Amino acid sequence: MITNEDGLVIPTLDDMLEAHERIKPYIHRTPVMTSRFLNELAGCEMFFKCENFQKAGAFKVRGASNAVFGLSEEEAKNGVCTHSSGNHALSLSYAAGRRGIPCNVVMPYSAPEAKKAAVRGYGGIITECQPSTTSREEVFAKVQAETGGDFVHPYNDPRVIAGQATCSREFLEQMEEIGVKPDMVVAPIGGGGMISGTCLTLSNLAPDVKIYAAEPVNADDAARSFKAGHIIADDAPDTVADGLKVPLKDLTWHFVSNYVTDILTATEEEIIEAMKLTWTHMKIVIEPSCAVPLAVILKNKEVFAGKKVGVIITGGNVDLDKLPWN
Amino acid sequence: MITNEDGLVIPTLDDMLEAHERIKPYIHRTPVMTSRFLNELAGCEMFFKCENFQKAGAFKVRGASNAVFGLSEEEAKNGVCTHSSGNHALSLSYAAGRRGIPCNVVMPYSAPEAKKAAVRGYGGIITECQPSTTSREEVFAKVQAETGGDFVHPYNDPRVIAGQATCSREFLEQMEEIGVKPDMVVAPIGGGGMISGTCLTLSNLAPDVKIYAAEPVNADDAARSFKAGHIIADDAPDTVADGLKVPLKDLTWHFVSNYVTDILTATEEEIIEAMKLTWTHMKIVIEPSCAVPLAVILKNKEVFAGKKVGVIITGGNVDLDKLPWN
């Protein structure tokens, strides 16, 4: 870690490499998949890094495991706690369960039932809040004070970003194995944890690879922040992409503002269509949130035409009883 | 091929090996996946051979490609034709398209829209019939007379069975690569093409591996045939497992009656539950038909307890707008 002039603690390449060694026993090396049909539709060659097959069903297990297994015995004694719209909650519960320490999570009552059930399945304890950033932070302050657990922020934490960064390292290795050099990588952006990890790894190991973030129009605070040059936070945006409702924070803003080429947005209809296309043609279950990259690729074909494009499929935790097209 | 005393032309191990060489350019070597969650639930160790990731979305492309690419120029000149509830139709259309010959298919009007759209996408020409075996065979006789195409039966054809048999060969190779010896394999049974291919390969290459067939209670003609010792055919069974409505024929009966250990059945509710479990925990899109093996495993735990069980996931072509739990 290095501390910059603003006092921000920033993870480095070494932190990512250490994280990867630390978390390997607890994560999958997820596959990279392709689809001839979707390539023809998009006019570019896409390589999908399938974190929907990750432990706990999402990439977030990387950052959560790095935080949990990096704690000393003393630091771990009261367990961990967090707030999360879903996947970080269940990833932290999974990691804490593997280490045998308690995990308290604050989740909006509106989070998908599948995610809540998975948190409980891993032994996590849920306290519900309203689906707004304000309520989430208020309720969380109470839970943290009561439990004394180590706070693992879902994204604005250098340990978490170092963990998420291992995803792009695997991706680069896997592309090298098949002898393909990617031109760009597209990942969804909510709070910016995955994008920050992607920036950390690519800016060090493959600085020529451009990084695009994909965001719902209905929760486009990161895109507006990017244009304005400073963080703009919405309190309670409403989108089918339930994982992308949270705002950027100082640490993720550092990475986004320094390393991202552009933030592209897609409408709810475009996201749902991209989700159905992925389910239909790739035969994989993905969340609405990770359909946003395909949606923006299909919408901005000129940006990606003829390129080799990495696409991070961030998770696969969906309520089958509440699919967005039903 | 050998011809038995009843005049039945039966594919041999050599036919399977030849088929595998012939079709390799046109098929995927699909992955074998596992799920710790489902293993714990079932009390056995399952290895899912994921033919939902196969070209055209189903194992049937193996048999169809073997038939199409095994034709001489002369035999291929009027193209091919068939009747099918869906996956064979689109697989034959795919293979014919790759060879550049016409493909005519008779499909029940009630077949999933996703399957009909895929047939058309591959250039196949559809003639619709009623959803009964009688209607299907009547309409098909006309189409065949008009087009003069080579008839590739969806399962009662030695070329098709030799093609489907390549799936189990890959499975055995993949299990050897991970150093696991399977105790049994479970595959769904409709007309019996996949099961017959499985019998062909395993009886030759791994005769210790038991073969179980899985069938919907609502279309249990194979289970009743198995008990009775002769083929019993239903005309128009109704089940959510749309790929499993057709009856056994003489060639598939040969394999089923000689090599299958047992045929187990599951109710509609059990099939839908197994389908949802697979989608939720494995993050893969599978058809109702290929949820039947998991359904019978969960229902007959004593048969599979502690065993290493191969499970053939036969296809992933589903109408997302008509999911059976909505």
Side-chain angles (χ1 to χ4, degrees), chain B residues 216-297:
Chain B
V217 167
N218 280 15
D220 68 344
D221 52 286
R224 284 182 286 129
S225 303
F226 191 74
K227 281 199 188 97
H230 58 84
I231 298 177
I232 299 171
D234 293 333
D235 196 46
D238 186 25
T239 168
V240 69
D242 58 272
L244 307 181
K245 294 178 176 180
V246 288
L248 295 170
K249 296 274 183 184
D250 54 4
L251 186 54
T252 53
W253 173 247
H254 163 80
F255 284 102
V256 169
S257 59
N258 280 298
Y259 301 109
V260 166
T261 294
D262 204 357
I263 301 183
L264 304 170
T265 59
T267 65
E268 300 294 290
E269 292 69 29
E270 289 160 349
I271 294 166
I272 293 169
E273 174 64 18
M275 184 176 169
K276 286 182 81 171
L277 279 170
T278 307
W279 287 40
T280 302
H281 295 284
M282 296 187 67
K283 314 297 180 193
I284 59 175
V285 171
I286 68 165
E287 300 186 20
S289 301
C290 38
V292 187
L294 178 61
V296 305
I297 290 168

Side-chain angles (χ1 to χ4, degrees), chain A residues 31-109:
Chain A
V32 172
M33 295 180 76
T34 59
S35 163
R36 189 181 299 196
F37 180 91
L38 292 180
N39 285 348
E40 281 173 17
L41 194 67
C44 61
E45 208 176 335
M46 294 180 286
F47 299 86
F48 296 88
K49 175 67 172 164
C50 290
E51 291 283 294
N52 56 321
F53 292 134
Q54 188 50 272
K55 284 277 177 197
F59 76 93
K60 298 231 170 190
V61 83
R62 297 174 181 269
S65 298
N66 189 43
V68 164
F69 287 95
L71 294 173
S72 68
E73 284 300 312
E74 176 61 22
E75 290 164 331
K77 76 177 193 305
N78 294 324
V80 286
C81 59
T82 196
H83 51 76
S84 155
S85 60
N87 281 335
H88 177 64
L90 62 92
S91 297
L92 195 67
S93 302
Y94 162 81
R98 290 294 296 265
R99 180 149 180 189
I101 60 176
C103 177
N104 275 278
V105 299
V106 171
M107 293 177 80
Y109 72 84

Side-chain angles (χ1 to χ4, degrees), chain A residues 33 36 52-53 55 57 98 114 275-277 279-280 282-285 316-318 320-321 323 325-326, chain B residues 33 36 52-53 55 57 98 114 275-276 279-280 282-285 316-318 320-321 323 325-326:
Chain A
M33 295 180 76
R36 189 181 299 196
N52 56 321
F53 292 134
K55 284 277 177 197
R98 290 294 296 265
M275 183 176 170
K276 286 181 81 171
L277 278 170
W279 287 41
T280 301
M282 296 187 65
K283 315 297 181 193
I284 59 176
V285 171
N317 296 319
V318 188
L320 293 180
D321 293 320
L323 293 172
W325 54 80
N326 281 128
Chain B
M33 296 181 76
R36 190 182 297 197
N52 56 322
F53 293 132
K55 283 277 175 197
R98 290 295 297 264
M275 184 176 169
K276 286 182 81 171
W279 287 40
T280 302
M282 296 187 67
K283 314 297 180 193
I284 59 175
V285 171
N317 297 319
V318 188
L320 293 180
D321 293 319
L323 294 173
W325 53 81
N326 281 125

Side-chain angles (χ1 to χ4, degrees), chain A residues 78 104 127 139-149:
Chain A
N78 294 324
N104 275 278
T127 307
V139 175
F140 175 71
K142 264 194 229 169
V143 169
Q144 191 187 15
E146 281 164 18
T147 63

Side-chain angles (χ1 to χ4, degrees), chain B residues 1-325:
Chain B
M1 312 270 178
I2 55 165
T3 306
N4 79 356
E5 62 271 27
D6 301 324
L8 210 55
V9 179
I10 298 170
T12 63
L13 183 64
D14 282 343
D15 294 315
M16 181 278 282
L17 295 170
E18 269 173 40
H20 211 180
E21 284 313 301
R22 180 179 292 132
I23 69 179
K24 267 184 186 165
Y26 313 106
I27 65 165
H28 289 308
R29 189 183 203 240
T30 56
V32 172
M33 296 181 76
T34 58
S35 164
R36 190 182 297 197
F37 181 93
L38 292 180
N39 284 348
E40 280 172 19
L41 194 68
C44 62
E45 207 175 337
M46 294 180 285
F47 300 85
F48 296 88
K49 175 67 171 163
C50 290
E51 290 283 293
N52 56 322
F53 293 132
Q54 188 51 268
K55 283 277 175 197
F59 76 93
K60 296 230 171 190
V61 83
R62 297 175 181 269
S65 299
N66 189 42
V68 165
F69 287 95
L71 294 174
S72 69
E73 285 299 312
E74 176 61 22
E75 288 165 332
K77 75 177 193 305
N78 294 323
V80 287
C81 59
T82 195
H83 51 75
S84 155
S85 59
N87 281 334
H88 177 63
L90 62 93
S91 297
L92 196 65
S93 302
Y94 162 81
R98 290 295 297 264
R99 181 151 180 185
I101 60 176
C103 177
N104 275 278
V105 299
V106 172
M107 293 177 79
Y109 71 84
S110 56
E113 280 309 318
K115 291 183 179 176
K116 291 190 213 164
V119 166
R120 293 189 192 103
Y122 290 127
I125 303 149
I126 299 175
T127 307
E128 293 197 348
C129 67
Q130 296 298 311
S132 72
T133 301
T134 320
S135 164
R136 176 190 297 224
E137 293 183 351
E138 259 177 43
V139 175
F140 175 71
K142 263 193 230 170
V143 169
Q144 192 187 16
E146 282 163 19
T147 64
D150 185 81
F151 177 29
V152 183
H153 190 281
Y155 49 93
N156 203 50
D157 182 316
R159 304 169 296 176
V160 170
I161 291 174
Q164 321 303 33
T166 62
C167 178
S168 291
R169 187 202 189 194
E170 278 180 20
F171 176 72
L172 288 175
E173 288 171 356
Q174 289 166 311
M175 293 299 280
E176 207 173 309
E177 282 161 20
I178 59 169
V180 177
K181 203 193 152 314
D183 297 304
M184 51 248 283
V185 167
V186 192
I189 189 162
M194 168 49 78
I195 277 287
S196 295
T198 307
C199 291
L200 168 53
T201 295
L202 296 184
S203 67
N204 280 287
L205 298 181
D208 294 346
V209 178
K210 287 186 180 175
I211 300 161
Y212 286 85
E215 195 175 35
V217 167
N218 280 15
D220 68 344
D221 52 286
R224 284 182 286 129
S225 303
F226 191 74
K227 281 199 188 97
H230 58 84
I231 298 177
I232 299 171
D234 293 333
D235 196 46
D238 186 25
T239 168
V240 69
D242 58 272
L244 307 181
K245 294 178 176 180
V246 288
L248 295 170
K249 296 274 183 184
D250 54 4
L251 186 54
T252 53
W253 173 247
H254 163 80
F255 284 102
V256 169
S257 59
N258 280 298
Y259 301 109
V260 166
T261 294
D262 204 357
I263 301 183
L264 304 170
T265 59
T267 65
E268 300 294 290
E269 292 69 29
E270 289 160 349
I271 294 166
I272 293 169
E273 174 64 18
M275 184 176 169
K276 286 182 81 171
L277 279 170
T278 307
W279 287 40
T280 302
H281 295 284
M282 296 187 67
K283 314 297 180 193
I284 59 175
V285 171
I286 68 165
E287 300 186 20
S289 301
C290 38
V292 187
L294 178 61
V296 305
I297 290 168
L298 292 173
K299 190 175 185 173
N300 298 277
K301 289 191 180 172
E302 68 291 354
V303 176
F304 303 97
K307 303 291 188 190
K308 292 176 172 54
V309 185
V311 178
I312 315 285
I313 299 283
T314 46
N317 297 319
V318 188
D319 262 355
L320 293 180
D321 293 319
K322 269 172 86 176
L323 294 173
W325 53 81

